[in-house]
Amino acid sequence: MGTQNSLEGKVIVVTGAGGGVGKAVALLAAAQGARVVVNDLGVSLGGDKDAQSPAAAVVAEIEAAGGQAVASEDSVAQWDSARRIIEQAVSTFGRINAVVNSAGILRDAIFHKLEPADFESVLQVHLFGAYNTSRAAAAHFREQGSGALVHMTSTAGLIGSIGQANYAAAKLGIVGLSRSISLDMARFGVRSNCIAPHAFSRMIESVPGLSPEEQERYLEKRRQTTRPDQIAPLAVLLCSDAAKDITGQIFGARGNEVYLYSQPRPIRTLHRGEGWTPQTLAEQLVPAWRSSFTPAERTRDVFGWEAI
């Protein structure tokens, strides 16, 4: 599988690995020497029961290139099935070194039309899924004194997006989860980081707020310039020993650009010796801080979708 393999001897679980970013990470991890559990709940294109599942297809691709992998079609959304994913890694390859949480779904809707079931299902897959696989791996990591978790977050939560309150809530929740894991598990040599990827995949085939013409131009540009394979190197780095001192961070990747996100910290203070009332806050705080308030921006306002 080549020289200078950064993941040689490691066993990595990649969820949502039947396509998109997850597939790209699984392929590169295998190319870098890892044995990979390719997890995906997806069905074959066209629903043909006799056709190869997305997970099995990725395993076949890895094996054809000389790598080692096994398919998992368990769901991350329930504790028992998520635990089976981790146990499959251990029973098949003898250990677990890293988990990349890439599984996800979309159920987009403007908030006043967002159904409870669609809110819950998105949190179940993204946020609960990240917890389930990470928690299942944590006992193994603790026992061996090392381990890496990489979670896919999103600018939908970090910055903002229209029609994606469920997705944004789940993705920002993952940031809090990762940060807490990084603190709780540091004593056991376990690290946890997030990546906010910009990549075309089956999960972004519609973008609320764009006209059909704008959307087609946007998607075509995304296909060409923000590919899943451009996200994979960062995820592989964070699983490797080269990142053994990196934890609790939020990274981004867009095309050939990588970046580091800031994390919430106080930026302004205002003190009043006699305390505050709603009236004095309105008179003093609002005008003093107005220029520091974060504007109601969306991801494309910050990054500029035309420039992608």
Side-chain angles (χ1 to χ4, degrees), residues 7-14 26 29-30 33-39 59 62-63 66-72 84-98 140 144:
L7 299 182
E8 196 69 52
K10 295 189 183 299
V11 176
I12 297 181
V13 167
V14 184
R35 291 167 288 174
V36 183
V37 176
V38 179
N39 170 259
V59 168
I62 289 171
E63 291 177 339
Q68 297 182 62
V70 64
S72 162
R84 286 197 298 269
I85 301 169
I86 303 304
E87 293 307 320
Q88 183 176 1
V90 176
S91 63
T92 304
F93 298 123
R95 62 187 296 112
I96 175 71
N97 298 102
H140 297 283
Q144 68 197 23

Side-chain angles (χ1 to χ4, degrees), residues 2 7 16 57 84 101 104 111 121 124 128 134 142 171 186 195 201 211 217 226 249-250 254 291:
L7 299 182
R84 286 197 298 269
N101 285 308
F111 186 72
S121 64
Q124 200 72 41
F128 281 68
S134 300
R142 181 178 183 273
K171 287 304 193 181
I195 298 175
S201 74
S211 70
R217 284 191 292 125
T226 57
Q249 303 305 307
I250 309 167
R254 180 180 67 160
S291 64

Side-chain angles (χ1 to χ4, degrees), residues 14-288:
V14 184
T15 71
V21 172
K23 176 181 178 180
V25 172
L27 292 175
L28 185 58
Q32 289 288 309
R35 291 167 288 174
V36 183
V37 176
V38 179
N39 170 259
D40 199 283
L41 200 58
V43 297
S44 61
L45 292 176
D48 185 350
K49 293 181 180 179
D50 297 324
Q52 204 171 35
S53 71
V58 174
V59 168
E61 195 170 337
I62 289 171
E63 291 177 339
Q68 297 182 62
V70 64
S72 162
E73 295 179 10
D74 279 305
S75 171
V76 301
Q78 284 76 42
W79 166 247
D80 287 340
S81 58
R83 188 169 55 180
R84 286 197 298 269
I85 301 169
I86 303 304
E87 293 307 320
Q88 183 176 1
V90 176
S91 63
T92 304
F93 298 123
R95 62 187 296 112
I96 175 71
N97 298 102
V99 179
V100 178
N101 285 308
S102 187
I105 61 171
L106 290 179
R107 298 291 185 270
D108 293 354
I110 296 298
F111 186 72
H112 70 280
K113 296 182 179 180
L114 179 58
E115 295 295 333
D118 289 335
F119 185 83
E120 183 176 349
S121 64
V122 169
L123 263 70
Q124 200 72 41
V125 172
H126 288 275
L127 181 55
F128 281 68
Y131 161 78
N132 288 336
T133 55
S134 300
R135 175 63 181 83
H140 297 283
F141 290 168
R142 181 178 183 273
E143 183 176 347
Q144 68 197 23
S146 65
L149 298 166
V150 179
H151 316 276
M152 296 301 162
T153 183
S154 173
T155 56
L158 297 172
I159 298 173
S161 182
I162 291 177
Q164 293 190 311
N166 47 2
Y167 183 68
K171 287 304 193 181
L172 198 54
I174 286 173
V175 171
L177 174 68
S178 177
R179 187 73 179 180
S180 295
I181 293 171
S182 74
L183 297 172
D184 286 356
M185 300 295 290
R187 73 189 72 178
F188 307 119
V190 180
R191 58 195 190 274
S192 181
N193 293 287
C194 291
I195 298 175
H198 291 253
F200 183 85
S201 74
R202 57 187 171 174
M203 272 192 51
I204 61 162
E205 292 179 359
S206 66
V207 182
L210 300 186
S211 70
E213 295 78 13
E214 287 176 324
Q215 180 152 290
E216 182 52 40
R217 284 191 292 125
Y218 170 78
L219 294 179
E220 182 55 34
K221 190 166 286 190
R222 291 292 295 269
R223 289 185 191 99
Q224 295 175 3
T225 61
T226 57
R227 304 185 310 273
D229 64 274
Q230 294 168 306
I231 311 299
L234 181 56
V236 167
L237 166 69
L238 294 174
C239 291
S240 75
D241 291 341
K244 61 183 178 62
D245 297 322
I246 301 174
T247 191
Q249 303 305 307
I250 309 167
F251 296 91
R254 180 180 67 160
N256 293 324
E257 180 182 27
V258 296
Y259 38 88
L260 180 67
Y261 278 96
S262 62
Q263 298 191 41
R265 297 292 186 275
I267 59 170
R268 298 287 300 270
T269 63
L270 197 61
H271 176 76
R272 191 170 188 267
E274 59 269 40
W276 294 98
T277 67
Q279 290 73 26
T280 55
L281 284 169
E283 292 167 1
Q284 297 179 37
L285 180 148
V286 173

